[in-house]
Structures are given as structure tokens and as C-alpha cells.
Amino acid sequence: MEPTRVEQLVDDEWKPVHGITNVVIYDEQQITRITERIREVQDAMTALMHAYAEAARPLLEQVGRAFQTLHQARLVESDGKPTMRRDRPAWQSPYGPPARRH
């Protein structure tokens, strides 16, 4: 069986359309059903995303309050990076004193 050729009219000349492997022609009733199904799926996805956002809201608010507490205690900067520790001088390594060579 010879493959079906798909062509389009360009400048009054029929030219082949490359890369098309399948062509399906729907009637108006099929298009209406497909459109309705797409709308149903879209509505279901929207409802799912709203439910997810509402479920995540308390956790995200708690994380925000925890971050605000850490920021007020000056343990993190406004971008979330830790601040310098107050229990050691700025020049001292957070990993302890350097190893001594003998």
C-alpha cells in the first residue's frame, strides 16, 4: 500500500507537506464532543490545582512564619542565607582551628 501524500497549495502550486504521518478528519459532532471533553479535563485540573493550593497554604504560612522568626533572630539574612555565627570571631574558621604540622 502506497503512503498517502499530503500537499498544500502555495503560490498556485501544490507542494508536499513533509513530516505528517497521520491525518484524521473529524465531523462537527466529533469536534463538539472532543471540545466538551477537553473542557471537562481542564475544569478538573483547575479544581485539582485550587485544592492543592488550599491544602498547601497552611504549611507555606507556617514556613513563612518560621523564616520570619529566624530573620528576626538574625540567624538568616533576607535572602535566606545564614548570618555569621556570634559564638566566634569573624576571622575564625567555622570548621575549627587549622591542623598543626609537626
Side-chain angles (χ1 to χ4, degrees), residues 70-86:
L70 290 172
H71 183 63
Q72 288 172 348
R74 296 186 180 178
L75 296 174
V76 293
E77 296 175 0
S78 60
D79 60 358
K81 293 180 182 175
T83 57
M84 296 180 67
R85 293 176 55 165
R86 297 178 187 272

Side-chain angles (χ1 to χ4, degrees), residues 7-17:
E7 297 180 337
Q8 66 180 352
L9 188 61
V10 178
D11 297 327
D12 295 325
E13 185 180 342
W14 287 101
K15 296 186 178 182
V17 177

Side-chain angles (χ1 to χ4, degrees), residues 17 23 34 40 43 48 51 53 62 68 70 84-85 96 98 100:
V17 177
V23 175
I34 292 169
E40 288 172 10
D43 291 345
L48 173 70
Q62 186 176 0
Q68 188 176 14
L70 290 172
M84 296 180 67
R85 293 176 55 165
R100 296 181 181 233

Side-chain angles (χ1 to χ4, degrees), residues 28-43:
E28 214 172 305
Q29 202 173 35
Q30 289 171 316
I31 291 173
T32 302
R33 283 197 308 266
I34 292 169
T35 303
E36 288 171 357
R37 184 66 180 131
I38 289 171
R39 196 168 290 122
E40 288 172 10
V41 171
Q42 183 180 15
D43 291 345

Side-chain angles (χ1 to χ4, degrees), residues 44-54:
M45 289 298 296
T46 301
L48 173 70
M49 295 307 293
H50 283 281
Y52 180 80
E54 286 302 312

